Amino acid sequence: MKIGCPKEIKPQEFRVGMTPNAAQEAVARGHEVIIETGAGLGSGFDNDAYVAAGARIVDTAEEVFATADMIVKVKEPQAVERKMLREGQLLFTYLHLAPDPEQTHDLLASGCTAIAYETVTDSNGGLPLLAPMSEVAGRLAPQVGSWTLQKANGGRGVLMGGVPGVGPAKVVVIGGGVVGTHAAQVAAGMGADVTVLDRSLPRLRYLDDVFGGRFKNQYSTAGATAELIQSADMVIGAVLIPGAAAPKLITREQLSTMKPGAVLVDVAIDQGGCFETSKATTHADPIYEVDGIMHYCVANMPGAVARTSTIALGNATMPFMLALAEKGWKQACQDDPHLLAGLNVHAGQLTYYAVGKALGIDVVSPAMVVKA
Ligand SMILES: NC(=O)c1ccc[n+]([C@@H]2O[C@H](COP(=O)([O-])OP(=O)(O)OC[C@H]3O[C@@H](n4cnc5c(N)ncnc54)[C@H](O)[C@@H]3O)[C@@H](O)[C@H]2O)c1
């Protein structure tokens, strides 16, 4: 199969859909890999690394789209990219179609087959192609939060781990899923005194079993949150209610009960944020202050560490990418119901129920489509 990887063109996006290592694996299996010149530069991979992996470099995205049987990307195709998709072409990338009718209609009109990273599942009920980015955002949260805690950045001037004779920072993590667990691990590793709140007892049991000695956990109620934030130096918002906007767990009024210069890191900002005073910010201008409390609310946190994010995403997507290249999308989806869960669009038909419901478009069962 001819596998093409264009340079990402969405503003502030430095990741790339294929690493040189993934390209090498595909080439070793007899596939042809076509990379747009400079596609990997934002993640620290130059053209030479791809050439050494056996890939071919081309000058334009047009050439990639015109040549490849399968396009592997990171972000949803932008309008100009959607015009280059064609009937029978396979697209493997993040799509997030439900809130995006324009993209959905363009993909349907193109006749392509589109598999969305975010809806591919695994046998534990997880989302294996979303998890790496949650891991990155979670581990990054205490790092950016500790920078924000520094005096020059508006924070309380508290060191995460303290020093001998001076206690550590107190960190509260609301939501103990993928983001929250990784955030708690790093904050505890920096020496902070960490408490994780979650509403799921099985999840709290897991956290207690695995991390019992390293950080504390508590059942999440409005009362527990109100009490804990009064003494917190940093609160990390990491809740998710699938398919819904994030619940607002700290009100503006409650900010006055917190220590001046304390920091809120709202990782859940991509779902609207879990603090009432959160508003999405960018890497160029990531923090702002409300009532003496510093807020960090960057909606695409993994972009700050594009190289790590690209490699982490590539590790997760590669086995699926290779299966698609090896077997073709139909056979690969017949063999793997988790990959089939990623099928969103095929030959002008929508194949993902939640997207159809959100956009009022008829849906064809993905199982029917792969059997046809
Ligand atoms: N800003 C970014 O760059 C970025 C990057 C990755 C993920 N995210 C976002 O981070 C959020 C968390 O993602 P995740 O992968 O960890 O999800 P997850 O499903 O693994 O974990 C969410 C957790 O929140 C818990 N929860 C739900 N309601 C709660 C409440 N009221 N109090 C306490 N806990 C509650 C759930 O029980 C679950 O354990 C999502 O909104 C996700 O989109 C943002």
Side-chain angles (χ1 to χ4, degrees):
M1 189 181 266
K2 290 185 174 132
I3 308 168
C5 177
K7 188 175 162 69
E8 292 297 320
I9 55 172
K10 194 164 179 176
Q12 299 277 316
E13 182 53 68
F14 299 105
R15 288 172 295 176
V16 60
M18 263 183 116
T19 61
N21 281 347
Q24 190 179 24
E25 297 266 349
V27 169
R29 285 165 174 75
H31 305 294
E32 190 180 335
V33 175
I34 304 130
I35 308 277
E36 182 182 347
T37 184
L41 285 178
S43 296
F45 299 120
D46 60 15
N47 286 349
D48 290 348
Y50 288 100
V51 171
R56 183 158 65 90
I57 305 292
V58 296
D59 286 337
T60 62
E62 283 79 1
E63 281 174 87
V64 174
F65 279 84
T67 318
D69 305 308
M70 168 164 60
I71 299 288
V72 179
K73 276 176 52 61
V74 178
K75 292 310 262 191
E76 71 281 2
Q78 305 299 290
V80 38
E81 295 172 315
R82 301 199 291 266
K83 288 202 185 93
M84 295 189 274
L85 286 166
R86 61 169 190 275
E87 201 174 330
Q89 197 166 39
L90 178 58
L91 173 66
F92 190 40
T93 190
Y94 286 121
L95 290 177
H96 297 288
L97 291 181
D100 195 346
E102 259 177 51
Q103 187 201 169
T104 307
H105 288 296
D106 285 355
L107 291 185
L108 290 170
S110 76
C112 79
T113 298
I115 298 184
Y117 291 166
E118 71 275 7
T119 67
V120 172
T121 54
D122 66 20
S123 50
N124 304 318
L127 299 168
L129 304 187
L130 266 188
M133 295 305 102
S134 287
E135 291 166 357
V136 169
R139 290 192 178 204
L140 189 56
Q143 193 172 310
V144 294
S146 62
W147 179 82
T148 311
L149 258 184
Q150 292 173 26
K151 202 70 195 161
N153 302 321
R156 261 171 70 65
V158 170
L159 184 62
M160 289 289 269
V163 288
V166 184
K170 285 195 170 167
V171 175
V172 176
V173 181
I174 313 182
V178 182
V179 168
T181 304
H182 285 267
Q185 265 184 282
V186 166
M190 292 167 100
D193 172 348
V194 182
T195 304
V196 177
L197 293 166
D198 203 290
R199 280 206 116 120
S200 156
L201 279 176
R203 190 66 193 170
L204 291 174
R205 288 194 185 101
Y206 165 83
L207 293 176
D208 198 59
D209 276 351
V210 178
F211 301 103
R214 297 177 59 198
F215 52 80
K216 293 165 267 188
N217 69 69
Q218 202 169 324
Y219 191 77
S220 177
T221 59
T225 306
E227 194 182 323
L228 281 167
I229 64 172
Q230 289 176 30
S231 58
D233 297 294
M234 185 190 304
V235 181
I236 297 174
V239 299
L240 177 65
I241 299 175
K248 304 290 178 220
L249 301 175
I250 298 181
T251 62
R252 178 163 191 165
E253 236 173 30
Q254 284 179 301
L255 297 188
S256 63
T257 70
M258 296 180 66
K259 298 185 206 168
V263 172
L264 299 181
V265 180
D266 198 344
V267 186
I269 190 67
D270 62 339
Q271 299 290 330
C274 60
F275 310 132
E276 191 184 17
T277 43
S278 294
K279 60 176 198 301
T281 58
T282 63
H283 292 296
D285 192 10
I287 57 176
Y288 63 94
E289 178 252 311
V290 179
D291 298 346
I293 303 300
M294 300 307 297
H295 292 56
Y296 174 102
C297 303
V298 173
N300 63 332
M301 291 176 69
V305 288
R307 187 175 169 86
T308 302
S309 300
T310 286
I311 299 170
L313 181 61
N315 291 344
T317 57
M318 195 178 75
F320 296 105
M321 179 271 289
L322 291 175
L324 289 166
E326 213 82 342
K327 304 176 178 180
W329 72 272
K330 206 177 245 190
Q331 188 64 47
C333 287
Q334 278 171 8
D335 291 353
D336 182 354
H338 299 299
L339 186 56
L340 180 60
L343 188 67
N344 278 229
V345 169
H346 172 64
Q349 294 172 313
L350 197 63
T351 54
Y352 198 80
Y353 285 105
V355 174
K357 196 172 167 209
L359 299 179
I361 301 175
D362 287 344
V363 172
V364 176
S365 149
M368 297 286 285
V369 167
V370 283
K371 270 193 210 134

